[in-house]
Amino acid sequence: MSSEYHSIPQPNELSDREKDDAMGSYLMMFASVAIGLPLPIINLIAAIVYYFTNRSKGLFVHFHSLQSLISQLPTTIINAIGVFWGIRIYFFDWELSDSFKGYIIMAIIFNLAYFVFSIVGAVKAKKGRMYYFLFFGRLSYEAVFKKKDEDMSEIQNLPPR
Amino acid sequence: MKIWRELLILVLVFGLIWLAFTWRPLSLPDSDFNLSSEREEDLAELILDDIKNQYEFYDDSITNMLLSPITSRLLDSLNPKKYEYRFHLIDSSGEINAFATIDGHIYVFSGLLKFVDNPEQLAGILAHEIGHHENGDLVDRLMKELGLSVLLAVMTGGDAVMVSEISKILISTGFDRKQEREADEFAYNLMIKSQINPARLAHFFTKLKAEEKSYPDNMEIIASHPNSKNRIEGALSHPLPKAFEEREFEIEWKKLIEEIL
């Protein structure tokens, strides 16, 4: 581990509260998906709110809520495109084309994969473990654990001289 | 960088799944059971009885006099035929409609006969209904909607409720757009073979569209197609063979209808 990165918190260093908050970032999605299904944007808003209220609760929670948020983006976009494409077909009387059917099947597979990964993520987070999604895990790790410039010259509180 | 490689993998997976299912779309497996031709015949008779309970029918002599010059020309050019076609004329001036059930039965409302300007237009509509039969749309629809219970209805000798349920489905539910387009396509080709210009169907749709307001509820089947504009264009733009020449029916349609209906 290079010193450019903050060290990763280990399970025994984490409080139950942190583990629960990290797990919550994945579970939030399930609650909001139920409300937001016709409008896929709502779960995204919920994830953003959750992220901003929880990111200050330590690197572990910050990482998991960020991973949950950004991994939601593509699924949300895929779903939104599917919904609007479907509406266009419905109202403008276009054909149910093969590419649309293929797209919907692809969207279903992506949503299922996303659900599965979220559940695994939630379980791991509850156990205090890190869990890296493909691409999003690495991206979140870079964003959360990489030391910013100001961190490099860390200000240290010192006892009175 | 690893992160770009992972992004690439993700995008590739996305694209490949989409492509794969576009190229080879998942289709629902066809029903394992089929309606045998004898059963189809039995069921068609049961449906005919059921419809006879709901509507008044014209005598065969009147039906034949009005329809057979048209139907015989269509059927002569239809080779091979899937069914022995039977046409029924229902006495209901208010309904501008025609529908097909199964086993080659086609029902025409007298309102349609009064509405069309000439026998060529009627031929186009009948050709469309024949198209549904020849394309197997009707049995397909029954199987999709009712499946096994259709077989049950036939085997048990026609439970009245079941049969009326079946005829309701055949009369009221629409076909999907692909089936409609294919039946239209079939109709254009059959019309050309019968020396009738497919543009006649376009004239009919145009008239139907123009008078839609004055007949709000009675044109469900024929007019239930939301894309009547496309159909008009489709009928007008259908390519005609080089030496095509229309052979009009030698019937004074309006006069005949006035006298008989």
Side-chain angles (χ1 to χ4, degrees), chain A residues 78 85 89-90 93-95 98-103 105-106 109-110 133-136 138-139 142, chain B residues 1-4 6-7 9-10 13-15 17-18 21-23 25-26 177-178 181 226-227 230:
Chain A
I78 287 172
W85 195 350
I89 286 176
Y90 185 81
D93 190 29
W94 291 1
E95 284 290 312
D98 282 349
S99 55
F100 178 69
K101 287 183 202 160
Y103 185 87
I105 293 168
M106 184 275 301
I109 291 173
F110 260 67
F133 292 177
L134 187 71
F135 176 67
F136 305 108
R138 202 171 284 278
L139 194 65
E142 292 285 335
Chain B
M1 268 250 290
K2 264 186 177 171
I3 196 163
W4 295 116
E6 291 184 357
L7 179 62
I9 292 172
L10 213 60
V13 170
F14 168 88
I17 296 179
W18 186 1
F21 283 105
T22 300
W23 181 55
L26 279 188
R177 282 170 193 143
K178 188 162 161 260
R181 215 186 37 228
N227 47 353
N230 292 352

Side-chain angles (χ1 to χ4, degrees), chain B residues 227-238:
Chain B
N227 47 353
S228 61
K229 194 171 150 249
N230 292 352
R231 295 181 90 193
I232 294 170
E233 282 164 9
L236 287 176
S237 64
H238 190 85

Side-chain angles (χ1 to χ4, degrees), chain A residues 3-7 59 145-158:
Chain A
S3 59
E4 280 177 49
Y5 292 88
H6 295 289
S7 65
L59 292 177
F145 286 94
K146 190 164 190 177
K147 285 182 180 166
K148 315 274 181 317
D149 285 343
E150 60 264 35
D151 295 340
M152 299 298 279
S153 55
E154 267 179 84
I155 300 163
Q156 293 204 321
N157 286 333
L158 300 169

Side-chain angles (χ1 to χ4, degrees), chain B:
Chain B
M1 268 250 290
K2 264 186 177 171
I3 196 163
W4 295 116
R5 209 178 62 196
E6 291 184 357
L7 179 62
L8 188 69
I9 292 172
L10 213 60
V11 173
L12 276 179
V13 170
F14 168 88
L16 283 178
I17 296 179
W18 186 1
L19 265 180
F21 283 105
T22 300
W23 181 55
R24 188 170 275 277
L26 279 188
S27 55
L28 295 171
D30 288 336
S31 312
D32 292 338
F33 47 88
N34 277 310
L35 205 56
S36 71
S37 57
E38 300 95 63
R39 285 197 174 137
E40 193 177 337
E41 210 180 311
D42 292 346
L43 186 59
E45 290 299 326
L46 293 171
I47 292 170
L48 174 60
D49 290 342
D50 184 71
I51 296 173
K52 273 186 174 162
N53 285 335
Q54 298 174 41
Y55 294 102
E56 286 293 315
F57 279 54
Y58 279 101
D59 288 343
D60 281 352
S61 57
I62 294 179
T63 309
N64 283 339
M65 185 167 34
L66 290 171
L67 297 181
S68 66
I70 301 165
T71 57
S72 59
R73 198 199 289 183
L74 289 175
L75 294 176
D76 285 347
S77 10
L78 179 62
N79 216 354
K81 286 193 263 300
K82 241 183 174 175
Y83 299 101
E84 283 304 316
Y85 284 91
R86 283 175 64 187
F87 296 86
H88 310 277
L89 184 54
I90 298 174
D91 183 5
S92 172
S93 333
E95 298 196 52
I96 304 168
N97 209 346
F99 62 91
T101 60
I102 48 174
D103 199 45
H105 288 252
I106 292 173
Y107 298 78
V108 184
F109 287 92
S110 56
L112 179 64
L113 268 56
K114 287 181 184 160
F115 183 82
V116 294
D117 293 326
N118 46 51
E120 288 80 8
Q121 290 181 3
L122 184 63
I125 297 152
L126 295 178
H128 175 92
E129 298 301 331
I130 292 172
H132 280 308
H133 274 301
E134 293 290 323
N135 295 340
D137 296 345
L138 294 142
V139 176
D140 179 63
R141 181 165 73 187
L142 263 194
M143 286 304 179
K144 266 188 198 144
E145 300 260 351
L146 293 169
L148 263 180
S149 44
V150 173
L151 285 187
L152 230 66
V154 188
M155 286 191 291
T156 55
D159 167 47
V161 179
M162 193 66 228
V163 171
S164 82
E165 191 59 33
I166 292 172
S167 50
K168 214 183 288 165
I169 283 176
L170 285 172
I171 297 172
S172 63
T173 56
F175 297 95
D176 65 39
R177 282 170 193 143
K178 188 162 161 260
Q179 289 175 326
E180 288 297 349
R181 215 186 37 228
E182 282 167 3
D184 275 348
E185 203 57 38
F186 182 95
Y188 304 150
N189 290 327
L190 183 59
M191 288 171 87
I192 288 172
K193 275 191 215 157
S194 316
Q195 290 182 275
I196 302 166
N197 195 329
R200 298 285 193 170
L201 256 183
H203 302 160
F204 171 76
F205 290 132
T206 313
K207 184 175 179 189
L208 198 61
K209 221 178 152 195
E211 303 197 15
E212 208 156 12
K213 281 169 198 128
S214 44
Y215 299 88
D217 298 322
N218 302 323
M219 307 188 300
E220 278 162 13
I221 304 295
I222 301 172
S224 68
H225 309 292
N227 47 353
S228 61
K229 194 171 150 249
N230 292 352
R231 295 181 90 193
I232 294 170
E233 282 164 9
L236 287 176
S237 64
H238 190 85
L240 295 173
K242 264 188 186 156
F244 179 81
E245 210 171 302
E246 188 175 63
R247 185 158 61 90
E248 289 186 6
F249 289 97
E250 285 162 6
I251 306 172
E252 285 193 59
W253 184 254
K254 286 286 176 195
K255 204 173 144 200
L256 182 73
I257 293 296
E258 253 172 48
E259 277 170 18
I260 296 175
L261 296 184

Side-chain angles (χ1 to χ4, degrees), chain A residues 75-135:
Chain A
T75 326
T76 305
I77 292 169
I78 287 172
N79 291 353
I81 290 174
V83 167
F84 287 113
W85 195 350
I87 290 173
R88 276 194 88 153
I89 286 176
Y90 185 81
F91 281 106
F92 294 90
D93 190 29
W94 291 1
E95 284 290 312
L96 260 189
S97 57
D98 282 349
S99 55
F100 178 69
K101 287 183 202 160
Y103 185 87
I104 291 298
I105 293 168
M106 184 275 301
I108 291 169
I109 291 173
F110 260 67
N111 277 281
L112 285 177
Y114 174 59
F115 265 59
V116 170
F117 277 106
S118 289
I119 292 168
V120 177
V123 172
K124 296 257 184 183
K126 176 65 186 162
K127 289 178 179 165
R129 305 265 301 278
M130 296 293 282
Y131 182 63
Y132 304 103
F133 292 177
L134 187 71
F135 176 67

